[in-house]
């Protein structure tokens, strides 16, 4: 039985159809896969910040996080969005267990190293995988909010893509990013169905990949480099997207380190 980490973008959480949750529960009950959900919550956070007149600022797709923003991010992610997902899974006949990286020291954070002046934006250096093992053994579907804490008790806002990639690495799990787009668009506005590390780096320098897509593809590449066997970006509104991802079908954009990686995956199907 293998783990599959499914990152549900905040951009799509509100519009995921009931069939998505039904498929998720069916996949878990069939027993071949242990799904682990990690969720974002971009729009809910921005709405809440707007209501109290705190401006939203992003640098390279990452939300600048002051103390005040951090409090709102935690309310939205670990409160509203996390429990909304637990509820949807329950409605679909599954049992979900929602918690965040803060609880039990599940995700150990440190300040993000790649971009400066982001405030309390972190990355993950350790994942307590035994929690996931125990919960999934109990037949529960873990639903993880990415807020995390360092050894001193300081909380950090971790981009959900970054958290999902770290969890997938720790579990050596397949990684599926569910978002509001059908994959990566190239400069001609066509979806690319496969992309290598080099092609992605070019698309970032040419500013074809911008905003929230930057942390998604960078964490995807990082995950592949650290042994995650398969990564794809798929649209949450496409029916049976999860099943198709797990069956290795052409859906969304699959990411590879190099061309030889594509052949490797093809020959293993
Ligand atoms: N080349 C590209 N191809 C596709 N989408 C792109 C590209 N460049 C930038 N984007 C943007 O990236 C967005 C997806 O990232 P975004 O962070 O907004 O969503 P998410 O990660 O699913 O949600 P959340 O961050 O709330 O978890 C797309 O909706 C699109 O606007
Ligand atoms: Mg995002």
């Amino acid at each position: 039985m293998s783990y599959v980490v499914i990152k549900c973008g905040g951009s799509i959480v509100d519009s995921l159809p009931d069939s998505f949750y039904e498929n998720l529960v069916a996949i878990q009950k069939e027993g071949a896969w242990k799904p682990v959900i990690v969720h974002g919550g971009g729009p809910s956070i921005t709405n809440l910040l707007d209501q109290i007149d705190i401006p939203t600022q992003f640098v390279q797709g990452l939300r600048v996080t002051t103390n005040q923003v951090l409090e709102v991010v935690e309310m939205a992610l670990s409160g509203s969005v996390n429990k909304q997902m637990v509820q949807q899974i329950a409605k679909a006949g599954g049992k979900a267990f929602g918690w965040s990286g803060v609880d039990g020291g599940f995700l150990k954070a440190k300040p993000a190293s790649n971009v400066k002046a982001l405030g309390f934006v972190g990355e993950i250096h350790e994942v307590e995988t035994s929690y996931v093992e125990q919960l999934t053994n109990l037949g529960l579907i873990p639903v993880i909010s990415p807020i995390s804490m360092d050894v001193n008790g300081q909380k950090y806002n971790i981009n959900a893509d970054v958290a999902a990639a770290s969890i997938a690495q720790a579990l050596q799990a397949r990684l599926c990013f569910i978002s509001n787009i059908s994959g990566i668009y190239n400069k001609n506005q066509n979806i690319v169905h496969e992309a290598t590390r080099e092609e992605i780096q070019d698309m970032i320098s040419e500013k074809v990949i911008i905003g929230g897509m930057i942390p998604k593809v960078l964490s995807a590449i990082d995950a592949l480099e650290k042994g995650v066997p398969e990564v794809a970006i798929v649209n949450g509104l496409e029916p049976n997207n999860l099943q198709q991802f797990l069956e290795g079908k052409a859906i969304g954009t699959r990411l590879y380190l190099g061309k030889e990686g594509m052949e490797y995956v093809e020959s293993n199907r």
Side-chain angles (χ1 to χ4, degrees):
M1 235 193 294
S2 308
Y3 290 105
V4 52
V5 173
I6 302 156
K7 189 274 175 162
C8 293
S11 55
I12 192 82
V13 164
D14 282 338
S15 34
L16 280 174
D18 292 346
S19 61
F20 172 82
Y21 293 100
E22 286 156 10
N23 289 343
L24 171 75
V25 171
I27 287 166
Q28 186 234 7
K29 288 193 172 162
E30 279 160 19
W33 296 95
K34 290 179 176 181
V36 176
I37 308 279
V38 180
H39 63 81
S44 313
I45 299 166
T46 303
N47 279 344
L48 213 50
L49 287 169
D50 282 350
Q51 281 173 32
I52 49 174
D53 284 332
I54 300 178
T56 293
Q57 201 194 337
F58 285 94
V59 176
Q60 291 208 287
L62 298 172
R63 184 186 299 275
V64 177
T65 306
T66 60
N67 243 328
Q68 204 180 14
V69 170
L70 182 60
E71 211 174 303
V72 174
V73 170
E74 188 170 38
M75 280 166 64
L77 283 181
S78 305
S80 312
V81 182
N82 190 270
K83 300 315 162 207
Q84 183 190 339
M85 297 211 73
V86 169
Q87 182 186 27
Q88 294 290 355
I89 293 170
K91 282 186 181 168
K95 270 193 203 160
F97 192 97
W99 89 106
S100 86
V102 169
D103 298 288
F106 172 53
L107 301 174
K108 306 254 177 354
K110 60 180 183 188
S113 51
N114 51 345
V115 195
K116 299 286 168 223
L118 284 172
F120 295 110
V121 171
E123 56 194 29
I124 302 212
H125 68 90
E126 211 184 307
V127 178
E128 191 60 69
T129 50
S130 63
Y131 296 178
V132 176
E133 285 159 19
Q134 309 241 15
L135 287 170
T136 52
N137 285 343
L138 291 171
L140 296 160
I141 300 176
V143 176
I144 300 157
S145 155
I147 310 298
S148 304
M149 208 155 58
D150 70 11
V151 283
N152 301 316
Q154 172 64 52
K155 287 182 199 164
Y156 285 89
N157 176 19
I158 316 282
N159 175 280
D161 298 332
V162 173
S166 299
I167 294 167
Q169 272 165 41
L171 296 169
Q172 291 291 289
R174 280 166 175 68
L175 174 59
C176 184
F177 291 104
I178 308 273
S179 191
N180 61 348
I181 30 97
S182 297
I184 302 177
Y185 287 98
N186 64 15
K187 57 177 170 245
N188 303 321
Q189 294 296 308
N190 295 319
I191 295 284
V192 293
H193 293 292
E194 294 173 320
T196 63
R197 171 171 46 192
E198 210 180 313
E199 288 162 348
I200 280 168
Q201 279 156 355
D202 288 347
M203 283 194 268
I204 294 176
S205 23
E206 289 164 9
K207 299 202 166 30
V208 173
I209 286 179
I210 55 169
M213 190 49 74
I214 298 176
K216 205 181 297 299
V217 292
L218 290 181
S219 51
I221 294 296
D222 192 44
L224 288 170
E225 283 169 349
K226 294 188 177 132
V228 165
E230 277 192 54
V231 182
I233 299 168
V234 311
N235 192 329
L237 302 182
E238 281 161 15
N240 301 322
N241 46 17
L242 266 184
Q243 196 62 45
Q244 293 190 352
F245 168 72
L246 293 173
E247 287 169 4
K249 301 244 168 74
I251 177 169
T253 303
R254 279 178 192 266
L255 303 173
Y256 304 90
L257 291 179
K259 299 275 184 209
E260 60 291 349
M262 293 179 188
E263 286 154 23
Y264 173 79
V265 172
E266 290 302 328
S267 65
N268 275 284
R269 281 204 183 116

